[in-house]
């Protein structure tokens, strides 16, 4: 595995690559969720590139940019064992320029739910992913369904800007007890982790209610809120694949999203129905 930190070097290496390139952008502190993306990329491509970059422009003032877990040594080992060809770890300054061209997330999709709670977050996401796509020119890029809104926006970016890349979604990887894996789970103490479980439990409850014939979005949200009464729920949303709110669940076209704070840790999760 080649570890590259320099922009000119990654460009030179990319130029020499023949065949398909599978790309997995991450912010590091790699876990089984990331590993599942990497494995899929390994199966489907001639080359696999992973990037680790804690992107400052997607963090809002007061968020956890400085505390965000950094595990360079462990991440390298994980990538090496997973058969990654190139690990790209640029310095922050190398990725951004002065007075640069900036992209905006879509006016609706980029500013509801996560975008409403974290205004500007998705502007930073599209900016960095576009830069990384420019450098890596991937055939396929892999993103987790755990970040459903991000996935939808990046798919739309590829479509709207006619980018020659296939955006590949990957299902959410969970702990045995249901908790969705996240780099931010390390912030949870045992008592908080226990309370955080109510997020995935509430989504499971929603799924069971729908299977039992309940379609009313408000009734489902109420039942979910009841399960999550021990944590600080920011939103529960029942939307269609374009993130338009639904009053009635439509089977195979419904996404239920949750964001909640457990102690100081902000967690998100979702389920497709
Ligand atoms: P991050 O390092 O948090 O920016 O995540 C990098 C990529 O891994 C994103 O596409 C995430 O959606 C994806 N990812 C994070 N957690 C999970 C998970 N539990 N299951 C599947 N994919 C995930």
């Amino acid at each position: 595995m080649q570890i590259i930190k320099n922009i000119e070097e990654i460009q030179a290496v990319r130029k020499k690559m023949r065949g398909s390139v599978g790309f997995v952008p991450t912010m590091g502190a790699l876990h089984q969720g990331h590993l599942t993306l990497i494995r899929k990329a390994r199966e489907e491509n001639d080359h696999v590139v992973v990037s680790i970059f804690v992107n400052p422009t997607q963090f809002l003032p007061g968020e956890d940019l400085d505390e965000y877990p950094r595990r360079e040594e462990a991440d390298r080992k994980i990538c090496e064992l997973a058969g990654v060809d190139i690990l790209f770890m640029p310095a922050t300054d190398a990725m951004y320029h002065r007075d640069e061209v900036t992209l905006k997330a879509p006016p609706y999709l980029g500013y509801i739910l996560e975008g409403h709670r974290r205004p500007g977050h998705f502007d930073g996401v599209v900016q960095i992913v576009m830069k990384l796509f420019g450098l890596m020119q991937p055939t396929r890029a892999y993103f987790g369904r755990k970040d459903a809104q991000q996935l939808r926006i990046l798919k739309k970016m590829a479509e709207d800007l006619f980018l020659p890349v296939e955006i590949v979604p990957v299902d959410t990887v969970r702990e045995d007890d249901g908790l969705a894996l996240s780099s931010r789970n390390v912030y949870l103490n045992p008592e908080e982790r226990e309370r955080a479980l109510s997020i995935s439990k509430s989504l499971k409850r929603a799924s069971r209610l729908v299977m039992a014939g309940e379609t009313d979005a408000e009734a489902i949200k109420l039942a979910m809120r009841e399960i999550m009464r021990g944590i600080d729920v920011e939103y529960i949303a029942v939307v269609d694949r374009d993130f338009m709110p639904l009053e009635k669940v439509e089977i195979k076209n419904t996404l239920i999203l949750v964001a909640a704070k457990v102690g100081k840790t902000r967690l998100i999760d979702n389920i497709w129905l």
Side-chain angles (χ1 to χ4, degrees):
M1 183 176 78
Q2 262 181 292
I3 296 171
I4 299 179
K5 300 198 169 182
N6 177 284
I7 301 285
E8 287 76 32
E9 198 181 337
I10 195 81
Q11 286 174 313
V13 167
R14 176 63 187 94
K15 225 176 190 168
K16 287 203 200 105
M17 285 161 100
R18 297 285 166 265
S20 59
V21 174
F23 179 42
V24 183
T26 81
M27 298 206 298
L30 302 180
H31 51 63
Q32 285 293 332
H34 298 113
L35 205 51
T36 306
L37 272 66
I38 296 171
R39 286 211 192 98
K40 198 162 162 63
R42 184 67 283 171
E43 279 164 26
E44 297 177 351
N45 300 277
D46 298 316
H47 307 275
V48 175
V49 180
V50 171
S51 66
I52 295 181
F53 183 70
V54 181
N55 174 38
T57 64
Q58 71 189 69
F59 287 79
L60 271 69
E63 288 189 346
D64 58 342
L65 174 62
D66 295 334
E67 298 93 63
Y68 197 83
R70 287 159 171 89
R71 308 249 187 288
E72 190 172 326
E73 201 42 49
D75 288 351
R76 280 182 194 212
K77 283 193 190 129
I78 290 169
C79 288
E80 182 98 55
L81 288 171
V84 171
D85 298 301
I86 294 169
L87 176 56
F88 178 50
M89 302 167 60
T92 307
D93 300 352
M95 288 303 288
Y96 285 99
H97 307 130
R98 217 174 306 133
D99 191 33
E100 67 173 27
V101 172
T102 43
L103 294 178
K104 293 286 278 178
Y108 173 70
L109 207 48
Y111 292 88
I112 53 163
L113 304 175
E114 282 305 283
H116 179 68
R117 287 286 171 165
R118 306 177 71 190
H121 166 69
F122 288 120
D123 297 344
V125 171
V126 292
Q127 184 77 3
I128 193 62
V129 173
M130 190 65 199
K131 281 168 179 277
L132 291 167
F133 281 3
L135 286 170
M136 297 324 316
Q137 300 175 37
T139 316
R140 301 182 186 87
Y142 296 80
F143 294 94
R145 287 207 163 94
K146 154 98 174 9
D147 300 283
Q149 195 174 354
Q150 165 175 282
L151 172 64
R152 186 70 193 86
I153 289 169
L154 292 174
K155 199 157 191 333
K156 194 149 166 39
M157 177 178 87
E159 288 162 10
D160 293 348
L161 304 183
F162 308 110
L163 304 179
V165 57
E166 183 190 339
I167 304 294
V168 184
V170 179
D171 285 347
T172 302
V173 179
R174 300 175 180 281
E175 304 269 15
D176 290 343
D177 58 10
L179 185 69
L181 292 182
S182 162
S183 303
R184 289 190 167 100
N185 289 353
V186 298
Y187 300 148
L188 300 169
N189 66 34
E191 179 270 325
E192 288 170 338
R193 193 191 174 287
E194 194 56 36
R195 279 194 289 140
L197 271 182
S198 66
I199 299 173
S200 56
K201 279 188 185 148
S202 79
L203 290 166
K204 238 182 252 162
R205 174 96 181 106
S207 158
R208 278 204 213 99
L209 279 172
V210 171
M211 278 194 286
E214 179 64 80
T215 59
D216 184 66
E218 281 310 317
I220 292 167
K221 285 191 211 174
L222 212 63
M224 292 175 67
R225 214 169 265 282
E226 178 59 24
I227 291 173
M228 292 189 284
R229 62 187 180 278
I231 62 177
D232 179 11
V233 176
E234 285 190 358
Y235 63 75
I236 305 173
V238 180
V239 300
D240 69 10
R241 62 181 68 253
D242 294 319
F243 281 76
M244 299 306 284
L246 288 172
E247 282 177 20
K248 297 268 172 218
V249 167
E250 298 168 8
I251 296 297
K252 294 215 154 122
N253 184 34
T254 301
L255 181 60
I256 304 184
L257 306 115
V258 175
K261 261 190 156 168
V262 183
K264 286 200 168 107
T265 308
R266 193 173 180 282
L267 300 171
I268 57 171
D269 199 350
N270 63 76
I271 193 171
W272 272 104
L273 296 173

